[in-house]
Amino acid sequence: MISAYHCCVCYFCFDGFLCQINITLVGQFLILQEDLRNICGHPEDDSAPENETRIYLRFRECVIKHQKLINFINTIKELYKNTILGIVVVLSILICLQLYQLMTTVGELFSQIHSFVYVCNTVVQLFFFLLTCNDLSEASTDLSQAAYDVKWFFMKSDALKKRLANDLTIVIRRSQKPCNLAVGEFSSVTLRTFTSICNTSFSYLTLMRQTVQHD
């Protein structure tokens, strides 16, 4: 029972915990997109000079929140880059070995079912983990579209209008660089990583089968 407790804690602290962090960050980016998109509100309500100043203050709050999210993601990226590398490597090996066991098990229906369920579970676990990482990357880049949708042209003050337009351009350019986690020091974690892992696993599986057949 004690060993099972430690296994559950260790399991939760890696990919499961990172999935929850990714989902939370995606939600924060979606909220930020709506806040940024609606900073101008209705043009008739925000035409007064004091309201236009309030618009720019709301924009500054969005920028500050965006910067906090970027800093938080960079911290998580630095803390968990080696952990993510370990998760990817271990799951790749497990997929390869379980597929090999599934293909070499003959006449044992229970063992085949067990191997098949285990392979499916590993693939689904890896897919959903990488899916949340991919959603985080897309949510961070979608902020550029929210900045593009801001109705800054309804502002009456030419000075504030020009200033806000220039600042929105900076936000758009920054948002085009996705915020994502990384596999060690190698690459970003997206759904392309899932495709690469599957290709690598099947390549090693083919190599193992050819080696066994030659022996």
Side-chain angles (χ1 to χ4, degrees), residues 4-5 25 29 36 38 47 52 62 108 114 123-124 128 131 136 140 145 147 161 187:
Y5 173 78
L25 289 172
F29 270 111
L36 181 60
N38 298 320
S47 58
E52 292 186 352
C62 291
E108 299 180 8
H114 179 271
V123 172
V124 170
F128 279 106
L131 179 63
L136 175 60
S140 63
Q145 182 62 43
K161 182 190 299 184
S187 63

Side-chain angles (χ1 to χ4, degrees), residues 7-204:
C7 289
C8 292
V9 171
C10 291
Y11 174 80
F12 173 78
C13 290
F14 294 137
D15 52 346
F17 182 64
L18 284 175
C19 283
Q20 295 296 326
I21 291 179
N22 290 337
I23 293 172
T24 302
L25 289 172
V26 169
Q28 291 296 320
F29 270 111
L30 293 177
I31 294 173
L32 179 59
Q33 290 173 25
E34 288 301 314
D35 291 341
L36 181 60
R37 187 177 286 111
N38 298 320
I39 58 173
C40 289
H42 197 276
E44 296 180 357
D45 299 332
D46 296 321
S47 58
E50 61 274 11
N51 290 337
E52 292 186 352
T53 304
R54 197 177 301 120
I55 288 174
Y56 199 82
L57 291 177
R58 290 199 293 263
F59 171 73
R60 288 186 59 186
E61 292 176 357
C62 291
V63 171
I64 292 173
K65 184 177 181 180
H66 187 207
Q67 189 61 47
K68 288 181 179 179
L69 287 174
I70 293 174
N71 293 336
F72 182 75
I73 293 173
N74 289 335
T75 302
I76 296 298
K77 181 178 181 179
E78 186 65 25
L79 287 174
Y80 285 95
K81 60 182 180 181
N82 294 327
T83 302
I84 295 174
L85 176 61
I87 292 173
V88 170
V89 171
V90 170
L91 291 181
S92 301
I93 295 174
L94 287 177
I95 292 173
C96 178
L97 294 178
Q98 287 299 320
L99 283 174
Y100 179 77
Q101 182 178 359
L102 177 63
M103 298 176 66
T104 55
T105 303
V106 180
E108 299 180 8
L109 181 60
F110 181 78
S111 298
Q112 290 178 337
I113 294 175
H114 179 271
S115 299
F116 177 76
V117 172
Y118 192 88
V119 169
C120 292
N121 177 70
T122 305
V123 172
V124 170
Q125 175 185 348
L126 179 63
F127 174 76
F128 279 106
F129 170 65
L130 298 179
L131 179 63
T132 58
C133 295
N134 188 78
D135 289 342
L136 175 60
S137 177
E138 292 183 351
S140 63
T141 55
D142 288 344
L143 190 65
S144 60
Q145 182 62 43
Y148 181 81
D149 293 338
V150 175
K151 298 179 176 59
W152 55 270
F153 40 82
F154 285 125
M155 299 177 67
K156 302 298 182 182
S157 174
D158 292 335
L160 285 176
K161 182 190 299 184
K162 183 177 180 180
R163 184 180 178 185
L164 182 59
N166 292 334
D167 291 342
L168 285 171
T169 303
I170 297 175
V171 172
I172 291 174
R173 294 184 62 182
R174 176 60 186 88
S175 300
Q176 290 174 349
K177 180 182 179 182
C179 300
N180 45 33
L181 303 181
V183 182
E185 300 288 348
F186 304 105
S187 63
S188 301
V189 183
T190 61
L191 285 179
R192 291 183 178 179
T193 309
F194 178 76
T195 306
S196 300
I197 292 173
C198 291
N199 291 335
T200 303
S201 298
F202 282 110
S203 298
Y204 282 119

